[in-house]
Amino acid sequence: MMFGNRSTTRAAMLVSLALLGACSEDPVQPPPVTNNPPAGLAAAATGQTAVRVTWTAPTTAATSFVLQRATGAAGAFANVATPAATAVQYDDAGLTLNTQYRYRIAAVRAAGTSAFSAEVAVTTQGVGLIDVTADITTNTMWTAANVYRLKGFRRVANGATLTIEEGTRIEGDFATIGSSLFVLRGARINAIGTAANPIVFTSSQAAGQRQPGDWGGLIIIGNGVINRSGVVNIEGTGTSADNPLQPYSGGNNNSDNSGRLSYVRVEYAGFGPAQDAELNSFTLAGIGNGTILNHLEALNGLDDHFEWFGGAVDAKFLVSYQSGDDHFDMSEGYAGRVQFLIGYQSKILIPRAGAGNVSGDPQGIENDGCNGSGCDLGFNSAPFTVPVVANFTMIGTGPGIVGASGGFGAVLRRGTGGHYVNGIFARWPSAAIGYRDAASKTRETDGFLSFKGIYAADSPVLFQAGQQTYGGLPADLEYSAATAAATLFTKFPTAPLTVADFDWSLAAGVAPRTGGTTAFSGDLLFRAGAFIAGTAYRGAADPAGGKWWEGWTSYSNN
């Protein structure tokens, strides 16, 4: 009996021990969750301002991703996107051309965000070169992503608008004779740069090899009125099948709109397609005042830098450095208003071989009435040239550089009028002003020509001898032959090397800081309208204002 009970007890004990052993073993656990970033990160440029970033979907599902970008080799990373969990690529746009970017990515999971992957680097594509070999006949956009090279005489045709993005570079092809851009009547150009990113028209030659006359220039033809009858063509056109005659006469709308130019620079222009027929840096032929012009610079052009033929377009903030002929030339009934002008001349330019001739009589301002064919009443042909030219600083070469026929701060002739207000003429070797003929004197007598708030210095005489005598108030013109031009400004470029050598701010205590005309009357008041306000100072720079020429203008010798 006892034996049987011991057996039963032993069996029960063995069962209990087996069960106990089974309970003491560890349960089966799932493998731990990994929190790794996606693998296979890659980046490739898909354009000048775009990059495609790709990666491999992770084996452990994520709820989303964090993509970061850095600029350059040492730039700091910052979040650029949070792609969805199903994404395996991201298109990054709005980048800068020809720039290196670095990317890295992390995975977001319930357990937290992973570490970032190893970074990858990519460089966006550089500037492209586009040859402009045909006329522009439909609305067209030029962007800073490309350089546009004008091949021959190219035209924006009637009805088309050419829009040019800030920072865009346009080159006149050196190898193609007369490369130029014409904006024809009925067409528009909207070239709107910024101080940080001006639009530049220049030579296709490399810096250091450029010369005046390397290419033609920018020519805009509007529907404004001129004072010459018959068919009058742009000088230098009609020389080849690629360069047909371009008339600008016959317009009847001084409110015409040819578009807008803002923060635009034209360099090394002025090629002459024919003998003594050089194009200008800016040719403004019959432009109406619906057009907007401001912050424009011409540099090292072979002929005039800014030339207006009739029309009534207004302009502000114009800079002209080293012109082959006149800095500012107005004629044929021009009746617009211009304010804040700088003209600087220290030398005679050396043009590209075969491009044309530099002038023997470069002036700061050269204004004419009517001259040549179609002037039915000679110098008295209407409408008269009566611009308002205000707040200008015109600096000449000093003696021994230009011939005796040149070297005037302003030449007024051939029946021109105009109101010249709050300006400075300095260092002109012949005279500050050449006031030439009886027809121009008639404009003064009739109230269409005046000087107000003018300061002249560092010139042998105020008015050229043997010409007209100004009949206005003596106080309208202040003349100081002994005052050196260099003393008038904060920094005077005696040997300019870069644009940093120019500061046209008036020096402390100099006479032009005061003496300006603040109140207008008569024909000047009528013509100035709301566009031009009087100033207590004289010259282009407000002593209490900013340096409006800084940041977008340039200076170079070649």
Side-chain angles (χ1 to χ4, degrees):
M1 185 71 181
M2 290 295 294
F3 178 79
N5 288 340
R6 285 197 299 268
S7 299
T8 301
T9 301
R10 183 179 179 189
M13 290 176 62
L14 290 172
V15 171
S16 298
L17 288 171
L19 290 172
L20 180 63
C23 292
S24 66
E25 292 179 3
D26 290 337
V28 176
Q29 299 291 331
V33 175
T34 58
N35 198 14
N36 296 325
L41 183 67
T46 56
Q48 294 165 319
T49 60
V51 165
R52 172 165 290 178
V53 185
T54 59
W55 57 90
T56 303
T59 55
T60 305
T63 59
S64 64
F65 302 102
V66 177
L67 181 65
Q68 291 191 337
R69 181 184 69 207
T71 303
F77 278 100
N79 291 358
V80 68
T82 54
T86 56
V88 291
Q89 73 176 43
Y90 176 76
D91 290 317
D92 197 9
L95 305 175
T96 302
L97 60 87
N98 198 31
T99 300
Q100 184 191 67
Y101 293 96
R102 294 158 29 238
Y103 293 89
R104 64 185 188 182
I105 194 168
V108 179
R109 299 184 177 91
T113 301
S114 74
F116 280 95
S117 67
E119 64 184 60
V120 295
V122 62
T123 299
T124 52
Q125 296 173 11
V127 174
L129 177 63
I130 295 178
D131 287 338
V132 183
T133 59
D135 291 346
I136 297 167
T137 57
T138 60
N139 293 346
T140 299
M141 177 79 172
W142 288 356
T143 73
N146 300 300
V147 171
Y148 298 85
R149 185 165 292 176
L150 302 169
K151 296 270 192 175
F153 300 88
R154 302 279 64 87
R155 290 161 287 275
V156 184
N158 180 8
T161 296
L162 172 62
T163 301
I164 305 178
E165 186 180 52
E166 64 180 80
T168 303
R169 180 182 177 92
I170 301 97
E171 296 179 349
D173 184 44
F174 180 84
T176 308
I177 298 300
S179 296
S180 312
L181 182 63
F182 288 78
V183 181
L184 302 184
R185 178 174 289 164
R188 291 186 181 179
I189 179 171
N190 288 321
I192 305 173
T194 64
N197 290 296
I199 293 165
V200 180
F201 289 78
T202 190
S203 167
S204 66
Q205 293 286 83
Q209 300 176 11
R210 300 171 297 188
Q211 291 181 281
D214 271 357
W215 65 291
L218 176 59
I219 303 96
I220 306 176
I221 304 172
N223 198 43
V225 179
I226 71 170
N227 58 17
R228 295 172 66 184
S229 64
V231 177
V232 185
N233 298 298
I234 296 290
E235 182 179 282
T237 63
T239 62
S240 68
D242 191 41
N243 180 28
L245 289 169
Q246 297 294 344
Y248 64 95
S249 54
N252 58 8
N253 182 12
N254 270 353
S255 298
D256 193 31
N257 182 354
S258 295
R260 177 176 173 181
L261 301 179
S262 294
Y263 293 101
V264 175
R265 186 166 75 243
V266 174
E267 306 173 335
Y268 300 96
F271 183 88
Q275 181 67 34
D276 298 322
E278 294 84 13
L279 296 169
N280 304 295
S281 296
F282 290 90
T283 297
L284 307 167
I287 307 301
N289 59 23
T291 311
I292 298 173
L293 303 177
N294 60 63
H295 297 91
L296 309 179
E297 181 190 8
L299 170 67
N300 291 331
L302 181 54
D303 201 51
D304 297 331
H305 272 176
F306 294 86
E307 185 158 11
W308 290 262
F309 297 93
V313 66
D314 300 322
K316 280 188 176 180
F317 306 113
L318 308 182
V319 176
S320 174
Y321 290 154
Q322 307 293 17
S323 177
D325 195 3
D326 307 315
H327 292 269
F328 304 95
D329 191 325
M330 308 168 200
S331 63
E332 299 187 6
Y334 174 61
R337 302 163 294 187
V338 290
Q339 188 173 26
F340 306 115
L341 283 69
I342 296 170
Y344 173 81
Q345 192 79 25
S346 67
K347 60 185 179 182
I348 297 295
L349 301 179
I350 300 174
R352 167 190 177 177
N357 302 310
V358 293
S359 171
D361 60 348
Q363 331 289 6
I365 298 169
E366 183 177 273
N367 287 358
D368 297 288
C370 195
N371 186 57
S373 64
C375 294
D376 299 333
L377 297 177
F379 294 167
N380 293 310
S381 299
F384 302 133
T385 301
V386 189
V388 179
V389 185
N391 293 98
F392 52 86
T393 295
M394 297 291 151
I395 309 298
T397 63
I401 296 177
V402 302
S405 63
F408 293 88
V411 169
L412 310 179
R413 63 185 186 179
R414 298 171 178 167
T416 193
H419 301 286
Y420 306 89
V421 184
N422 296 338
I424 295 173
F425 296 113
R427 207 176 68 173
W428 292 95
S430 294
I433 302 168
Y435 184 18
R436 294 286 172 86
D437 53 71
S440 296
K441 180 65 178 179
T442 299
R443 302 291 93 78
E444 179 197 339
T445 302
D446 292 341
F448 299 138
L449 189 154
S450 68
F451 298 98
K452 301 287 184 184
I454 301 300
Y455 182 84
D458 208 356
S459 295
V461 291
L462 175 59
F463 283 100
Q464 181 183 9
Q467 305 294 328
Q468 303 302 311
T469 300
Y470 180 61
L473 297 174
D476 290 339
L477 297 107
E478 182 179 357
Y479 170 58
S480 176
T483 299
T487 66
L488 297 175
F489 306 100
T490 299
K491 183 185 290 186
F492 189 77
T494 53
L497 299 175
T498 71
V499 73
D501 294 305
F502 296 83
D503 189 344
W504 301 109
S505 305
L506 294 169
V510 298
R513 292 178 72 93
T514 60
T517 297
T518 58
F520 299 160
S521 61
D523 189 62
L524 169 57
L525 175 62
F526 168 74
R527 293 179 184 274
F531 188 78
I532 291 181
T535 62
Y537 62 92
R538 294 172 281 185
D542 183 350
K547 301 175 183 181
W548 56 262
W549 58 88
E550 285 193 342
W552 59 276
T553 60
S554 180
Y555 184 88
S556 56
N557 289 306
N558 48 39

